[in-house]
Amino acid sequence: SSTSASPTATSRQFVGMASSSLSVVLLLVCLAAAASAQLSPTFYDASCPGALATIKSGVAAAVSSDPRMAASLLRLHFHDCFVQGCDASVLLAGNERNAFGNAGSLRGFDVIDKIKATVEQACKRTVSCADILAVAARDSVVAVGGPSWTVSLGRRDSDTASEALANRDLPAPSLGVTDLITRFAAKGLNHTDMVALSGAHTIGRAQCKNFRTRLYSEDNIDPAFATSRMATCPQLTGSGDSNLAPLDDTTPDMFDNAYFGNLKLNKGLLHSDQVLYTLAGGATEDIIDGFASNQDAFNNAFAAAMVKMGNISPLIFPQGLVRRTCSRAN
């Protein structure tokens, strides 16, 4: 009898082998797609190896010239990520810049534009504005004594921005604890993340119009602190609206945990800051106590929260684009 396989059996064997090979190929394609869809801290190592050093140098120069700029660049990143994800939409002229929480208060656009121009000279259409902003936020914190963290890269830029979404999603300084928790939870951030990120108010300034009501209408405020702030923030609406006061009255240009100690003394400048301690109903007081007594605990939680925030809905290739100029679409 013949030992050779029948044509039908051979055909089935060939189909089976082809099917297995196709499955392996499809699996490899899927794995490659998944890998390419992940952000990576080494994303520009080959395509633009000097990018991170250029960003760091630009931030250092800006903060050296204007220490307040550290808070401004950090705030830009926060306001970017909270509106349609970390896609540099906040940098586009108009739209989000005109939202209630942004108009007349966001700053640092010129710093990012200058850094972007320098990066473009070395690596055209390679490094996204979204990534520049994420790295600049980290470098700003480090420049004023705060913690560092690893920034994963590979975000791409949007070509649209939305004032309506910004008005809906950005936490307002008048919000209470429940609304704050809801806003942060909608972005995948928990109670600890929220308190840690609020600790960014250890640096920076706020405009009178955003804390006037607290000074003149709230009881959970240290009387001497309120009086000192009233000196530059008159009660009459429209008078001194843009006058500035430090969010952290103790060390306004140093990234430390003094902000949390201020809350325990009823010296939070914004309503949305103080309610985290005195009107939180047990939701966040213990977290604040922990951060107030342990700088390292705050630094670690802040760094972890910044990583989480920086990963909110990024645009990954083939989505999005790399803008040539951060303030306008290509």
Side-chain angles (χ1 to χ4, degrees):
S1 61
S2 174
T3 59
S4 62
S6 69
T8 301
T10 302
S11 176
R12 282 198 298 267
Q13 184 179 24
F14 175 79
V15 170
M17 291 173 62
S19 178
S20 297
S21 298
L22 179 60
S23 296
V24 171
V25 170
L26 289 174
L27 177 60
L28 291 174
V29 169
C30 289
L31 289 173
S36 67
Q38 299 300 312
L39 301 178
S40 166
T42 61
F43 189 83
Y44 298 113
D45 280 9
S47 60
C48 194
L52 297 187
T54 299
I55 298 169
K56 182 177 181 180
S57 176
V59 169
V63 174
S64 176
S65 175
D66 175 11
R68 183 184 162 212
M69 188 55 67
S72 298
L73 293 174
L74 177 58
R75 185 168 182 250
L76 265 184
H77 181 46
F78 179 94
H79 282 225
D80 180 38
C81 292
F82 258 65
V83 183
Q84 69 183 39
C86 306
D87 60 359
S89 57
V90 73
L91 300 178
L92 288 169
N95 297 297
E96 285 179 35
R97 293 198 197 186
N98 298 327
F100 172 77
N102 293 337
S105 65
L106 280 186
R107 57 198 299 269
F109 299 107
D110 54 335
V111 174
I112 298 300
D113 284 343
K114 185 176 181 179
I115 292 172
K116 172 64 170 175
T118 304
V119 171
E120 281 290 307
Q121 289 177 358
C123 319
K124 294 187 182 302
R125 299 287 295 279
T126 301
V127 182
S128 70
C129 298
D131 277 343
I132 289 175
L133 190 51
V135 174
R138 188 269 312 275
D139 292 346
S140 295
V141 170
V142 173
V144 289
S148 184
W149 58 91
T150 299
V151 178
S152 291
L153 304 165
R155 300 168 191 79
R156 290 177 50 99
D157 302 326
S158 68
D159 57 4
T160 62
S162 171
E163 181 180 349
L165 285 179
N167 284 328
R168 185 194 73 182
D169 291 349
L170 289 174
S174 59
L175 291 184
V177 174
T178 300
D179 287 334
L180 287 169
I181 289 172
T182 299
R183 296 287 177 94
F184 279 79
K187 305 301 177 183
L189 301 167
N190 60 34
H191 290 39
T192 300
D193 299 326
M194 178 183 71
V195 174
L197 291 172
S198 297
H201 288 173
T202 185
I203 54 176
R205 309 292 191 274
Q207 295 183 354
C208 167
K209 64 182 180 181
N210 291 321
F211 58 84
R212 174 184 283 119
T213 299
R214 170 155 168 74
L215 295 183
Y216 294 96
S217 303
E218 297 184 7
D219 296 326
N220 59 338
I221 186 167
D222 178 82
F225 172 72
T227 299
S228 69
R229 295 278 72 87
M230 289 175 183
T232 55
C233 186
Q235 187 170 9
L236 181 64
T237 299
S239 177
D241 281 3
S242 60
N243 290 350
L244 298 173
L247 288 159
D248 170 7
D249 198 43
T250 307
T251 50
D253 296 314
M254 181 182 298
F255 197 97
D256 56 22
N257 62 342
Y259 162 86
F260 300 104
N262 292 338
L263 298 186
K264 297 182 67 171
L265 296 173
N266 283 339
K267 293 182 178 181
L269 185 64
L270 301 179
H271 173 83
S272 56
D273 287 331
Q274 192 60 52
V275 295
L276 295 175
Y277 196 72
T278 52
L279 296 173
T284 52
E285 292 96 326
D286 288 347
I287 301 171
I288 290 171
D289 285 337
F291 291 165
S293 63
N294 190 325
Q295 174 78 56
D296 288 339
F298 167 49
N299 284 349
N300 292 336
F302 182 82
M306 286 298 294
V307 170
K308 288 177 68 173
M309 189 185 77
N311 290 335
I312 295 175
S313 304
L315 294 175
I316 310 265
F317 182 83
Q319 295 178 308
L321 47 86
V322 175
R323 286 189 222 134
R324 290 187 292 269
T325 303
C326 292
S327 60
R328 62 177 184 266
N330 291 343

